[in-house]
Every structure is written in structure tokens, then in C-alpha cells.
Amino acid sequence: MGEYIRPRATPKTGIVHRSKPSHNSLYTSTPPQEPEENEEEEQSTQCNYDPCLRYATLRYILITALTRGQGRPPPKLSWWAGHKEVRGEVRIGDGEVTNTLTVASLQRHHLDQSFICQASNDELAVPVTAAVTVDMTLPPMSVTLMGLDGPVSAGLGVTIRCVVVGARPEPKVTWWLDGRALRSTAERLRDDNNVTESQIVLVAVPEDQGRYLSCRAETPGLLQSSLEDGGNLVVHYVPEVKLSLGKNLNLKSIKEGMDVFFLCTINAKPAPSVVDWYHNENLMRSNSTKGVRVVNMSLVLNKVNRYSSGSYTCRASNTQGQGVSRPIRVEVQYSPVCKTGQRWVYPIARKEMVHVSCQVEAHPKQVSFEWKFNNSVEISNIPAAHITNNLTYST
């Protein structure tokens, strides 16, 4: 019967499976020797356009079957795909029969397809057969990014999935954000072995606004098999609020009677729906009587007085929450004013000593006092040795 030779499989054509040949020698005819199959190296044409690179449709394989030592009568060597005979190139000579099958334009539907070589020289004898099963290395057919259909909230984790269809073997999936590699959090191969799913938990920051997030899939060992999908991030975040004093104003030199204004700068997505101003945690509204005007993103205080002192903040709200600026502390400088509730009358006897006090409100608090005595006849200065001063208090 001759020696059975196992076929050769190249890295590109993949694994070759064989069924054990059978024969029956009870007939007077001499059965042919078992066919040997050689799977030739996969060939490829030159191709510089995208469909060729992605789907590898312009490729073909050569499968050669032969028998050594002709039977009697000479054997017929044929190829079969299922119940359909596939024509190959038959050559007879030097004690062997060769049938070379060319499978042109190798495509995805050829995956796992079996080609059976059948050798027979008698209609009554059971044919001797050997089979080859085609395994293929395939690029991805599609890559789809899921979970990025709308805006994401800054600081909150959102799961983004990448679904890869058609790659064989399991593809390598990578994640990228504006060219910077990200690490996936999970990856799995579905039961049909045709779909791979990878996912990440994205925690965006406001600076990610407009950046391009993508997932890329490629079949290991297959050049130019990369395919990707992605989109630009739309990040929603709590307003970032900054409060500043108006131009040409100095916090250290704001005096009573001056006009003071503030500017509120807001960075928010989506735009704020409400902008409020607060003075010492009290909500402010435009009030012409008090000299308060709220105009767009600015606050104007006309002719400030000592009651205008305090902390001012700007607050902005959108669908993501409320942002509050850092406070600006205003200290209005004003002239000393006698504090209410003091004693104004001191009844005393002739030549009796008395301590008279005076307390004022002022800013700054470094106040100098001058005392005078008025007896309705004359006004005389009180000597400095008899006066004690302590900021806004004097006796």
C-alpha cells in the first residue's frame, strides 16, 4: 500500500486536519496507493487598496495530492468539496498520479471548509481518501465603540465597550486617548468565537473635552490588519468659577464713597443656567436704592460705605451642580464715627476728678484722639499726659 505521508502546514494556511484513509483489497484489481497531500505555501498578489488589506480576498492556496505506485488499472485521483467534485490539474508520470487543486480568491467562507482527495481505480472498490480542512488568519471585519453616544460627566466612571467582529485568532484590542495608550479593565471572547469585547471604565476630567477616544483591533501576526473606531469626548462638568476685582481697583485702598465692581469668570459645560452673587452669605439682587447692580457676569456697587465691607462670592449652577468662587474680602476705609450707646453726661462736683471715655468705629483702626474742655466760656486743650489711647478707644 505504500507509506502514508502527513501533509505540511504553513503558518499562513493554519492547521490541516486529516481523515484516516481506508481501502479494500478483496477485489482482483490492485487498489491505488493512499494519496499524499501537500499544502503549498499561500500565495498573494500585490494590492495597494483598502479592501484588499482588510479582507485578504486576493489570495489563493495550492493543495497537491499524489499517489505513488500505480494500481491496476491506473487510479483516478479527484478532489471533492462536499458532494461536488472540484476540478484540479491532473498529471500522470514516473509511477505517480498528481492532482493539484488551486483555490483562488480565498475568502472568509472558506474557513473550516474541507477538501477531500479521493483515489479510486475500480467502481466496486471503496475509494481511498484523505481530507484537508482550511484554517485562516483573518483581520477584523468591524470595530464598534459603544457607550459614547452622549456626554459623560467629569469625575464619574462610565463603562465604554469595544466590540470586534470577524478577527481570527482572537485580536489584540488597545485603547487610546489622543494618542495616549489606556489600560482596558476587562476583555472577553464570546461563545461564537467570532466576537471579542473589550471595555474600559473612563473617568473623564474637564481637560478631556474634545479629546479623541478610540479602540483599535488587530490580528496578531497579520500585517495591516488594524481597524479602529472612536469619537470625540463631550465632557459635562460643574462650573469652575473665578471672581476678580475690577480693573484699576486695589483692595488695600477702597474708601467710602468709591464705586467698586467685580467680574465673575465661568468655565462650564453645559453653560450655567443660574449665576448668583452673595455678600456675607446673603443673596444679592439689583437694588438702585442701595447702589447694587447685577449686570450679566458683573456686580457693581455704587458709593460704597462701611456696611459694604465683607466677603463677596459668585456662584454658578448647571445640570452637573454648583460651582462657588473663592471669596474676595473687601474692607472699606472710612472716617471715625462715634459708637452708639456711649455715656454722654457726667455729673460731677467742683474740683472732682472724672474719667471720660470715647469709643469710635473706624477703618483703619489706628485712630488718634484729641481732647478739649468747653466750659461755655472758653475751650481749652486737655494735656496729653492725661489722655490714654488704645486704637478706637480713648479716656
Side-chain angles (χ1 to χ4, degrees):
M1 295 296 296
E3 181 183 3
Y4 178 69
I5 301 178
R6 294 188 62 83
R8 172 173 58 88
T10 66
K12 290 184 178 179
T13 53
I15 303 170
V16 178
H17 303 280
R18 295 288 182 268
S19 60
K20 184 174 179 62
S22 61
H23 65 277
N24 193 324
S25 58
L26 297 178
Y27 295 93
T28 56
S29 60
T30 302
Q33 199 167 4
E34 296 176 356
E36 306 168 6
E37 296 180 28
N38 290 299
E39 191 172 3
E40 303 293 343
E41 184 175 356
E42 181 183 346
Q43 306 294 322
S44 64
T45 63
Q46 296 296 322
C47 178
N48 295 317
Y49 55 91
D50 191 57
C52 172
L53 301 180
R54 287 191 179 181
Y55 300 108
T57 56
L58 300 182
R59 295 181 182 274
Y60 61 88
I61 59 174
L62 299 176
I63 305 175
T64 301
L66 58 86
T67 60
R68 292 196 181 98
Q70 297 178 5
R72 296 192 302 271
K76 175 186 176 183
L77 201 59
S78 59
W79 283 102
W80 295 78
H83 297 290
K84 181 180 179 181
E85 184 176 357
V86 185
R87 177 171 302 194
E89 182 182 351
V90 180
R91 292 182 181 180
I92 302 175
D94 296 332
E96 67 180 26
V97 179
T98 302
N99 189 338
T100 301
L101 173 63
T102 299
V103 183
S105 189
L106 190 63
Q107 299 184 35
R108 289 181 179 269
H109 69 262
H110 289 106
L111 177 64
D112 294 329
Q113 182 174 358
S114 293
F115 294 94
I116 300 173
C117 177
Q118 179 176 292
S120 174
N121 64 351
D122 193 309
E123 294 181 356
L124 298 179
V126 177
V128 180
T129 61
V132 59
T133 300
V134 178
D135 193 356
M136 300 173 67
T137 299
L138 299 172
M141 291 178 61
S142 67
V143 175
T144 305
L145 197 65
M146 306 180 70
L148 200 62
D149 301 327
V152 297
S153 296
L156 298 180
V158 58
T159 300
I160 310 295
R161 296 188 299 132
C162 181
V163 179
V164 184
V165 178
R168 183 183 177 90
E170 183 178 355
K172 177 183 178 182
V173 182
T174 54
W175 291 86
W176 303 86
L177 182 61
D178 260 8
R180 176 171 60 90
L182 303 177
R183 180 178 296 180
S184 63
T185 56
E187 195 162 313
R188 67 187 180 96
L189 185 66
R190 292 188 184 174
D191 293 340
D192 55 12
N193 291 327
N194 190 46
V195 180
T196 299
E197 183 177 301
S198 177
Q199 69 180 36
I200 61 169
V201 176
L202 177 69
V203 181
V205 296
E207 291 74 20
D208 290 331
Q209 185 70 250
R211 289 179 177 172
Y212 189 76
L213 175 69
S214 63
C215 70
R216 184 182 305 160
E218 53 188 336
T219 302
L222 189 61
L223 298 178
Q224 297 177 311
S225 65
S226 178
L227 194 62
E228 73 173 53
D229 187 27
N232 295 100
L233 293 178
V234 177
V235 184
H236 284 186
Y237 50 91
V238 175
E240 299 172 343
V241 185
K242 182 180 179 182
L243 182 61
S244 58
L245 196 62
K247 189 177 181 181
N248 300 325
L249 289 176
N250 189 334
L251 282 175
K252 295 181 180 181
S253 59
I254 295 178
K255 298 179 180 180
E256 197 169 31
M258 293 178 59
D259 292 336
V260 176
F261 65 95
F262 302 88
L263 180 64
C264 186
T265 304
I266 302 172
N267 177 26
K269 187 75 175 182
S273 56
V274 177
V275 178
D276 290 322
W277 292 88
Y278 283 79
H279 176 218
N280 294 333
E281 299 302 320
N282 297 312
L283 180 64
M284 303 182 70
R285 297 298 187 195
S286 291
N287 188 325
S288 57
T289 303
K290 295 182 179 180
V292 178
R293 287 189 300 153
V294 177
V295 182
N296 295 328
M297 299 298 176
S298 62
L299 171 67
V300 180
L301 305 177
N302 295 123
K303 299 185 182 303
V304 294
N305 54 41
R306 54 181 171 151
Y307 300 108
S308 302
S309 297
S311 293
Y312 290 84
T313 56
C314 175
R315 305 181 186 184
S317 302
N318 64 4
T319 57
Q320 302 299 298
Q322 185 184 71
V324 182
S325 70
R326 295 183 63 179
I328 290 182
R329 179 76 184 178
V330 175
E331 296 290 348
V332 179
Q333 298 180 17
Y334 58 94
S335 302
V337 178
C338 288
K339 191 172 183 179
T340 59
Q342 298 185 78
R343 186 177 180 183
W344 297 100
V345 178
Y346 292 84
I348 59 173
R350 186 180 175 82
K351 295 185 178 182
E352 181 183 355
M353 181 177 291
V354 65
H355 290 279
V356 180
S357 64
C358 178
Q359 190 171 3
V360 299
E361 292 179 344
H363 185 74
K365 296 183 180 297
Q366 291 74 22
V367 179
S368 61
F369 290 84
E370 182 180 336
W371 287 85
K372 293 182 181 292
F373 179 72
N374 184 355
N375 62 1
S376 300
V377 177
E378 61 178 353
I379 298 175
S380 58
N381 292 325
I382 304 297
H386 296 168
I387 300 173
T388 302
N389 296 329
N390 183 12
L391 297 179
T392 59
Y393 184 79
S394 179
T395 58

